[in-house]
Amino acid sequence: MKKLNIVYVASEVTPYSKTGGLADVAGALPQELASLKNQVVLFSPRYSSVDRKKYDLFDVSDFGSLSVTVAGREYQFGLLKRNAKTPGLETYFIDSAELFGRNGLYQDPVTVKDYPDNDIRFVMFAKAVLLSLEKLNFKPDIVHANDWQTAMVIAYLKTAERENPFFAGAKSVLTIHNVAYQGLFPAERFDRLGVDRSLLYPMSPFEYWGKVNLLKAGIVYADIVNTVSKTYAEEIQTTDDYGYGLEGVLRDRRSVLFGVVNGVDYELWSPERDTLIAKKFDADTLDEKEADKQKLLLVSKLGKDRLDKPLIGVISRLAPQKGFDLIEEIAEELFALDFTFVLLGTGDKVYHKLFEDLQTKHPDRIKVNLAFDNTLAHQIEAGADMFLMPSRYEPCGLNQLYSLKYGTVPVARKTGGLADTIIDETTNKGKGTGFLFEEYEGEALLKCVQDALAFYRNKRSWKSLMKRGMKKDFSWKKSAKEYLALYARTLEGLA
Ligand code: ADP
């Protein structure tokens, strides 16, 4: 296939910035696309975490000072570049200390409230990306944006930049990582976008129940829309529970709506290579995993006597999406079962309290870490026996994919990417890789955990189950090829 010029735009990218799965995707997919012989330029904002020295960044200063106008004000920005680590991939950061040099990405970490100028920040970012492409003279075949924060890059291609010959050949792809986050702003702020006022009318691409909705604009304007699993792509067209009000818009676009499951960066997430865990292991040296369990118990200040008990891990944003209200519903019966529980997560205060209270009740076997801690995340993946994800919905989910690789058996709700990547052992005897429950009900979760714990007692069957999961391959290569097929589809005029 012809080598493509691909622009990949994301509001967070591992290792520079991260709040969730999008960062991991944006850190890996562009590399994979480049290694498949495409020319890829990646853009993201320069937050305070993006350290100039650490990442060896330099100013692309050939253009003099750069600026864009947002809401009637001129914003100057710098263009920082990281020297290519992967041939074919160039990484750029839009540098505006005023808008992005903050500790949080979208929210103030102290007040846990969205920054009030998020519209200005990401409008400025989108405009800065398009201007930078012209300055760099990088004519894209594909502009691939992600979520509401970068949807305006696509919207501009179809509105303000429509007549710009520089972008004439560009086709656009929007990946939705989570349709619940839409970039909603009051209608009075529409002018901040700098698109024609005539585009704000009831049911217009930007309008959503009297507000401005940036994700909707991206969905309407993109040539191709995709989400991060096939099941989620279906689910978000059904009801408000999954589509968060955009189900109708998504149904309208179903002929160009696809699902591509995320891959895993196995350089970072595999037990035979992981430098953050106590002892490396693979499917042939599974017994070594016990050293990782010991370490996890140690760092969790839990007793050595817990070594023989099943250990269930959780690493998650503590948000309603993740299904922890089911745990609350059945907490008494659930924690009457004899397992160890180690949780790592931050988020809504109600869940902080829920888990802190549980820890107070069972200090000998529950350890709750209300933090964001990458090392501990690796230690949990390596040291736990099971990994719990009772999600209400899950666009793709990465932790179950990591868990499979670490022989940490996922126990999850059958939704979105969890349904697509885990095979339920109870209904597929001898072929499963985990345990799934369907109904979003506490009782169903309880039964599923009970089944998993019962299965755990048979060491031989459990080992086979672990090994089946470890053999699954969710590397990026396959998913990157699926993205290339979507790009080809739109370039050939099929979408
Ligand atoms: P989402 O994007 O909805 O948060 P995913 O499962 O797709 O969920 O991705 C979550 C990513 O963030 C994973 O890489 C996970 O390990 C990481 N993560 C989430 N919470 C924490 C935390 N408290 N500490 C460290 N890593 C975390």
Side-chain angles (χ1 to χ4, degrees):
M1 207 171 85
K2 178 179 156 271
K3 173 176 158 171
L4 299 177
N5 276 358
I6 301 166
V7 178
Y8 196 91
V9 207
S11 57
E12 51 186 274
V13 181
T14 298
Y16 314 106
S17 52
K18 172 165 170 171
T19 66
L22 164 62
D24 293 355
V25 175
L29 176 59
Q31 289 192 39
E32 208 58 55
L33 293 167
S35 72
L36 292 167
K37 307 265 176 289
N38 298 286
Q39 188 62 42
V40 185
V41 296
L42 168 64
F43 282 93
S44 79
R46 184 189 178 207
Y47 305 102
S48 16
S49 59
V50 185
D51 191 88
R52 198 183 258 268
K53 276 218 184 80
K54 183 169 172 193
Y55 298 116
D56 198 12
L57 307 181
F58 62 92
D59 275 300
V60 182
S61 50
D62 330 7
F63 321 127
S65 80
L66 294 169
S67 68
V68 291
T69 304
V70 182
R73 214 196 104 181
E74 195 172 309
Y75 287 88
Q76 293 211 331
F77 66 94
L79 190 57
L80 291 183
K81 183 177 180 187
R82 182 173 194 186
N83 267 327
K85 279 181 66 196
T86 309
L89 173 65
E90 294 186 356
T91 304
Y92 292 96
F93 298 92
I94 301 296
D95 188 13
S96 159
E98 179 189 346
L99 294 184
F100 294 111
R102 306 178 185 180
N103 290 329
L105 272 55
Y106 321 121
Q107 291 187 330
D108 183 322
V110 178
T111 62
V112 203
K113 289 219 165 75
D114 285 356
Y115 290 122
D117 58 350
N118 271 347
D119 51 350
I120 292 184
R121 297 170 78 217
F122 289 102
V123 161
M124 182 275 181
F125 175 70
K127 289 188 168 191
V129 167
L130 292 171
L131 178 64
S132 302
L133 287 171
E134 287 198 71
K135 294 287 179 193
L136 294 164
N137 197 25
F138 187 84
K139 259 190 190 229
D141 297 304
I142 293 291
V143 173
H144 190 155
N146 295 275
D147 287 348
W148 74 262
Q149 290 90 341
T150 54
M152 279 310 293
V153 179
I154 291 177
Y156 286 135
L157 291 177
K158 296 284 171 73
T159 56
E161 299 289 337
R162 197 185 181 93
E163 307 296 331
N164 185 346
F166 188 81
F167 296 112
K171 293 289 187 181
S172 54
V173 176
L174 177 73
T175 301
I176 303 171
H177 297 261
N178 190 333
V179 79
Y181 300 90
Q182 302 181 353
L184 282 170
F185 299 98
E188 304 84 80
R189 298 213 204 154
F190 180 75
D191 287 337
R192 293 183 174 185
L193 307 185
V195 296
D196 203 295
R197 195 135 241 289
S198 69
L199 287 169
L200 189 68
Y201 54 86
M203 316 279 277
S204 83
F206 291 95
E207 195 272 350
Y208 179 84
W209 297 101
K211 290 189 171 169
V212 172
N213 184 323
L214 299 187
L215 184 67
K216 180 184 169 189
I219 294 169
V220 175
Y221 284 124
D223 295 306
I224 294 258
V225 181
N226 84 287
T227 71
V228 286
S229 69
K230 292 197 181 3
T231 296
Y232 189 62
E234 293 299 322
E235 287 172 340
I236 56 175
Q237 299 177 56
T238 57
T239 61
D240 188 58
D241 283 345
Y242 290 101
Y244 280 76
L246 290 180
E247 54 280 2
V249 180
L250 289 157
R251 269 200 302 275
D252 284 348
R253 302 240 59 208
R254 65 176 170 271
S255 63
V256 294
L257 175 58
F258 300 89
V260 182
V261 77
N262 289 333
V264 173
D265 187 344
Y266 286 127
E267 287 292 321
L268 297 176
W269 292 98
S270 47
E272 61 265 39
R273 268 176 271 179
D274 198 327
T275 52
L276 298 173
I277 62 176
K279 184 111 196 177
K280 295 182 183 143
F281 63 93
D282 61 23
D284 298 324
T285 55
L286 258 188
D287 291 344
E288 312 281 13
K289 187 172 161 72
E290 194 171 286
D292 290 296
K293 186 170 179 179
Q294 255 167 5
K295 173 78 181 193
L296 181 57
L297 289 171
L298 187 74
V299 299
S300 305
K301 301 195 172 61
L302 295 170
K304 283 195 195 111
D305 55 315
R306 304 297 309 170
L307 196 58
D308 295 332
K309 308 285 182 188
L311 195 159
I312 301 183
V314 169
I315 305 164
S316 182
R317 284 184 298 117
L318 300 181
Q321 171 201 341
K322 301 293 179 179
F324 299 119
D325 37 338
L326 293 188
I327 294 189
E328 183 166 27
E329 211 180 297
I330 49 146
E332 199 138 317
E333 297 102 302
L334 185 66
F335 290 100
L337 304 169
D338 193 11
F339 63 89
T340 312
F341 185 72
V342 177
L343 175 138
L344 168 64
T346 53
D348 296 1
K349 296 282 172 277
V350 280
Y351 303 116
H352 287 205
K353 177 158 176 8
L354 165 70
F355 289 115
E356 274 175 336
D357 288 352
L358 284 167
Q359 178 176 249
T360 308
K361 221 166 161 187
H362 305 281
D364 54 327
R365 59 198 183 88
I366 295 186
K367 172 68 184 173
V368 171
N369 306 278
L370 300 175
F372 196 96
D373 182 339
N374 186 47
T375 303
L376 184 56
H378 283 254
Q379 289 172 336
I380 292 176
E381 287 293 4
D385 297 300
M386 299 172 204
F387 195 92
L388 185 62
M389 292 179 83
S391 306
R392 187 184 284 274
Y393 68 90
E394 194 59 73
C396 174
L398 290 171
N399 278 305
Q400 85 279 14
L401 303 179
Y402 304 156
S403 298
L404 287 169
K405 192 71 188 164
Y406 284 76
T408 302
V409 174
V411 177
R413 179 156 175 263
K414 191 176 179 185
T415 182
L418 301 171
D420 292 357
T421 57
I422 301 166
I423 303 168
D424 177 42
E425 172 61 22
T426 306
T427 49
N428 299 274
K429 292 218 180 327
K431 298 202 180 80
T433 56
F435 294 88
L436 292 172
F437 65 100
E438 228 163 310
E439 299 305 323
Y440 189 74
E441 279 165 12
E443 279 304 316
L445 164 64
L446 182 63
K447 178 166 182 313
C448 194
V449 174
Q450 282 167 335
D451 287 349
L453 293 175
F455 202 93
Y456 179 81
R457 284 189 215 115
N458 184 336
K459 291 284 169 251
R460 268 186 61 187
S461 308
W462 188 261
K463 235 180 184 172
S464 310
L465 177 65
M466 290 166 80
K467 285 189 179 180
R468 280 198 295 278
M470 294 176 88
K471 284 208 189 96
K472 294 282 169 200
D473 179 13
F474 291 100
S475 60
W476 265 108
K477 189 130 279 153
K478 189 164 158 266
S479 302
K481 284 183 178 161
E482 284 188 48
Y483 275 108
L484 285 176
L486 290 187
Y487 298 163
R489 197 183 176 99
T490 181
L491 289 168
E492 286 159 15
L494 297 173

